[in-house]
Amino acid sequence: MRSAEVTRKTAETEIRVRLEVDGSGKAQLASGVPFLDHMLDQVARHGLIDLEVNASGDLHIDAHHTVEDIGITFGQAIAQAVGDKRGICRYGHSYVPLDEALSRVVVDFSGRPGLEFHVPFTRAVIGQFDVDLAHEFFQGFANHALVTLHIDNLRGSNAHHQCETVFKAFGRALRMALQQDARSPLAVPSTKGVL
Ligand SMILES: [Mn+2]
């Protein structure tokens, strides 16, 4: 069972993430940020990850700390669930459209944190959600899952669609990268022997 449970508490937020990598896409989400719940639901569904997120954060200030810290905690949980990365495919990529919008996400479980985030949002907010926070989520994730992550929105005029295609493609890319490689079930996929 590739699963993990991580609780992370700071003066700003308390986050609990439980996940099962080889799940069926069930999600129980209570981040306190409804649009983020909608995005995490996409990651679970399209990544086929069972995902529970509970958060209480300093939303009276804004959603910044909560969204960033959920990215961090989700990244820690993925790293814990995946362990030494033996037998995983390592690389994953996906293109996802939603009407006029198209995004591409490429991930490498390289052991090194890195984020390239190129999403020219056409609006500053989606509902109540500050679009800057999408970057914060993925930066937190990349830093703590220790992945190289390239995120590009290639096209799109509706900011909700732009954001949703990014999260869906992220889920799909995770699924591909974390899949067990049937041809190489015991090897760490690196000539270094370690990831
Ligand atoms: Mn939507």
Side-chain angles (χ1 to χ4, degrees), residues 28-142:
Q28 251 182 278
L29 305 166
S31 73
V33 183
F35 186 75
L36 183 66
D37 285 348
H38 182 42
M39 294 299 105
L40 294 172
D41 201 15
Q42 308 303 329
V43 175
R45 159 94 349 234
H46 297 287
L48 293 182
I49 294 167
D50 290 344
L51 179 63
E52 275 179 52
V53 175
N54 290 285
S56 58
D58 53 2
L59 295 175
H60 59 284
I61 297 175
D62 69 8
H64 189 110
H65 303 138
T66 300
V67 173
E68 180 180 11
D69 291 356
I70 288 172
I72 290 170
T73 312
F74 181 54
Q76 289 174 337
I78 286 284
Q80 189 178 309
V82 173
D84 70 1
K85 304 175 212 172
R86 196 170 293 279
I88 68 167
C89 288
R90 176 175 169 178
Y91 301 102
H93 64 269
S94 177
Y95 286 83
V96 169
L98 199 178
D99 297 340
E100 91 298 343
L102 175 66
S103 294
R104 178 186 62 215
V105 174
V106 183
V107 66
D108 173 14
F109 277 76
S110 58
R112 299 183 301 277
L115 175 66
E116 286 290 329
F117 187 84
H118 303 280
V119 183
F121 282 112
T122 57
R123 275 187 282 149
V125 292
I126 303 167
Q128 313 272 19
F129 186 82
D130 175 349
V131 297
D132 285 350
L133 300 182
H135 176 272
E136 299 310 299
F137 173 86
F138 288 111
Q139 188 71 67
F141 176 82

